Amino acid sequence: MRSEVIVRLLSGAIVRRRLRRHLYTIDGLHHLPAQGSFVLAPNHRSYFDHFVMELVVGAAVGRPVWFLTKQESFTSYVSRLWTRAWYGIPVDRDRPTPETLRAVQRVFASSEVLCVYPEGTRNAGDTLLPFKAGAFRFALSGDAPVIPVAMIGGETVLPKGRRTFRPEGRVHVVFGQPLAPSAKTGKQAATQELATLTETAINELLNVAECNAREPRRPALVSRVAQGLDHLITEALSADGRLDRADQHRLEFVASLLGRMEARPHHIEVQRIRLRALAVARLPRLLQVFPALSIRRRLNRILIADPEHPVANYLLARWCLAMPVALGGGRDRAEAAFETSVRTAEPSDTRALAGLAEIQRADGRIGAARANLAHVAAAPFRPGSREEMRAARARDDLLALDARAQGASFKP
């Protein structure tokens, strides 16, 4: 086990540099479940695909990605050590053994991630090979969703038959929406349905990947990717809005991979500022001032170019609440920034509304606070998400306001 960790640490540093060099676009990160197990089902053209799935997905969700790997990779000591270091699970592709099934069950029991290439081997052609059923049987046995993945360009970095990376090559990856079979179908029918859904999805995602390769910096793509990073950061926060060091480190790596997609600092830069602000928040109060001023300067540069940016205005509002008026903070400036964020954010993004209600309650503007809290409480959310926590907190705050109002009106 110790030797596997050492191999993974040493080789991981090299592979991370390669990812930063060759990985040009990552799309669909918001489709990766923040909690629970899932099965990645990518097309397969290169061994480089393993590194993309392990390091990108592992960093995005904070859990290891395990791979079903052909038994031949475990015959010699060196090959076995390397494969186990990179989370390989031995499998007989014709008939999985009970040991393989138990290993997969342990992955699901630990809420980790399983990656299975449905084609079964690397594909040198332009069309997908016939799918094998293993990925979908495992997903059904673990009641885990399947995430279809399309990758192009891996073969230009590490072609079949080559053991060293090429100096050139660009890789593009797209994650699709989670897939599950229809309810009330038999096991065999559900397996076939899931395989058909996944094949259709991968073919569609391959077209998206080709489009991203042609225009890797188009504004709509960069905005969507930044929203995906925003989602990952939000889901990693604790109940009190903190980000621990391990999550900080992995998400900064994801941000570093995405940064090259922006021709000039904008949407992704805002998320990098957010990560920096969360790191500064862990410092003792007296040590926060100078880093906070640097954060303010970075936000100002974004807001000069895009005064209506919803997330930048939200971050500015939070900055103003944390900093004194003498340094450019204060509740009045925070309220103005929250209002701009509310006006320009997506209707489902209730962060700024909650912040606005926080200020209004503190100022005694109960009617305005109640109206904003009602919007937060009624907003749609995904089960288990931070939006659900925010909605529940808003409902509790409304109940507290109602109880206080009733107490004030009762005069014995």
Side-chain angles (χ1 to χ4, degrees):
M1 179 65 71
R2 180 179 297 177
S3 56
E4 293 170 11
V5 172
I6 293 172
V7 169
R8 187 161 57 246
L9 288 174
L10 293 177
S11 60
I14 298 171
V15 174
R16 284 183 178 86
R17 286 198 296 272
R18 282 290 169 177
L19 284 181
R20 290 190 179 100
R21 180 172 185 171
H22 297 291
L23 195 52
Y24 264 65
T25 63
I26 308 172
D27 197 358
L29 285 172
H30 58 288
H31 292 311
L32 298 176
Q35 300 173 345
S37 295
F38 56 92
V39 176
L40 292 166
N43 66 310
H44 192 23
R45 297 181 179 179
S46 166
Y47 276 134
F48 196 69
D49 301 341
H50 296 327
F51 301 128
V52 174
M53 291 296 96
E54 179 62 53
L55 294 178
V56 173
V57 177
V61 302
R63 307 189 293 281
V65 179
W66 295 84
F67 298 85
L68 293 186
T69 308
K70 60 184 180 182
Q71 284 183 329
E72 294 84 346
S73 299
F74 294 83
T75 52
S76 70
Y77 173 78
V78 173
S79 177
R80 182 168 60 252
L81 176 61
W82 172 264
T83 306
R84 285 180 173 168
W86 284 95
Y87 297 99
I89 298 173
V91 62
D92 183 335
R93 287 182 285 192
D94 296 323
R95 180 172 305 202
T97 63
E99 289 78 10
T100 298
L101 299 178
R102 284 193 291 269
V104 170
Q105 289 169 358
R106 286 194 294 270
V107 170
F108 290 149
S110 301
S111 295
E112 295 173 346
V113 183
L114 181 68
C115 181
V116 186
Y117 299 104
E119 295 171 283
T121 188
R122 285 170 292 173
N123 178 8
D126 294 329
T127 58
L128 295 174
L129 298 174
F131 277 12
K132 298 183 180 296
F136 314 107
R137 288 174 179 160
F138 286 130
L140 291 169
S141 69
D143 194 25
V146 171
I147 306 295
V149 188
M151 284 183 285
I152 62 172
E155 69 280 7
T156 66
V157 179
L158 192 59
K160 190 172 183 178
R162 186 181 175 108
R163 293 181 178 273
T164 57
F165 298 113
R166 282 179 172 172
E168 304 299 331
R170 297 183 177 187
V171 179
H172 306 268
V173 58
V174 185
F175 299 96
Q177 296 182 7
L179 300 175
S182 304
K184 299 180 180 179
T185 58
K187 186 175 181 179
Q188 185 172 353
T191 301
Q192 183 57 52
E193 179 188 2
L194 200 48
T196 301
L197 289 171
T198 303
E199 183 174 6
T200 300
I202 292 176
N203 278 314
E204 292 174 352
L205 294 172
L206 284 169
N207 292 331
V208 176
E210 294 285 357
C211 179
N212 293 348
R214 289 191 296 271
E215 298 181 90
R217 290 179 170 176
R218 71 183 188 276
L221 171 61
V222 175
S223 177
R224 184 168 70 240
V225 167
Q227 289 174 4
L229 180 55
D230 182 82
H231 167 76
L232 295 179
I233 296 170
T234 299
E235 292 305 313
L237 297 177
S238 64
D240 62 351
R242 300 279 178 167
L243 188 66
D244 67 33
R245 293 182 186 276
D247 289 331
Q248 180 93 33
H249 180 72
R250 66 177 177 85
L251 291 171
E252 284 176 348
F253 173 66
V254 175
S256 73
L257 295 175
L258 300 177
R260 75 185 311 159
M261 295 177 63
E262 285 196 318
R264 61 179 178 83
H266 196 188
H267 300 296
I268 295 171
E269 171 65 7
V270 169
Q271 298 304 323
R272 299 180 83 162
I273 295 171
R274 184 184 183 194
L275 285 169
R276 178 58 181 157
L278 288 165
V280 170
R282 292 198 302 268
L283 297 174
R285 188 73 175 174
L286 290 176
L287 298 180
Q288 292 181 5
V289 175
F290 289 112
L293 292 175
S294 174
I295 288 170
R296 177 62 185 266
R297 286 192 294 271
R298 292 172 68 182
L299 282 173
N300 285 345
R301 285 194 289 269
I302 297 293
L303 291 169
I304 288 171
D306 185 0
E308 301 287 296
H309 197 289
V311 181
N313 274 287
Y314 173 78
L315 294 177
L316 176 60
R318 286 295 175 195
W319 189 96
C320 289
L321 285 179
M323 291 290 112
V325 174
L327 293 178
R331 284 215 298 253
D332 290 344
R333 288 171 177 162
E335 184 170 5
F338 275 140
E339 288 173 346
T340 301
S341 182
V342 168
R343 189 174 66 252
T344 57
E346 294 292 328
S348 58
D349 187 350
T350 58
R351 287 175 289 190
L353 270 175
L356 203 54
E358 179 184 329
I359 292 175
Q360 290 162 343
R361 285 185 66 186
D363 289 345
R365 290 175 282 163
I366 303 303
R370 182 181 281 111
N372 285 324
L373 288 171
H375 283 297
V376 175
F381 55 78
R382 289 170 291 100
S385 67
R386 190 163 181 84
E387 287 85 357
E388 182 180 20
M389 293 173 56
R390 191 180 302 121
R393 191 161 53 243
R395 287 192 293 271
D396 291 342
D397 289 343
L398 284 170
L399 291 174
L401 289 176
D402 291 341
R404 190 164 66 180
Q406 290 176 2
S409 63
F410 177 71
K411 297 180 180 179

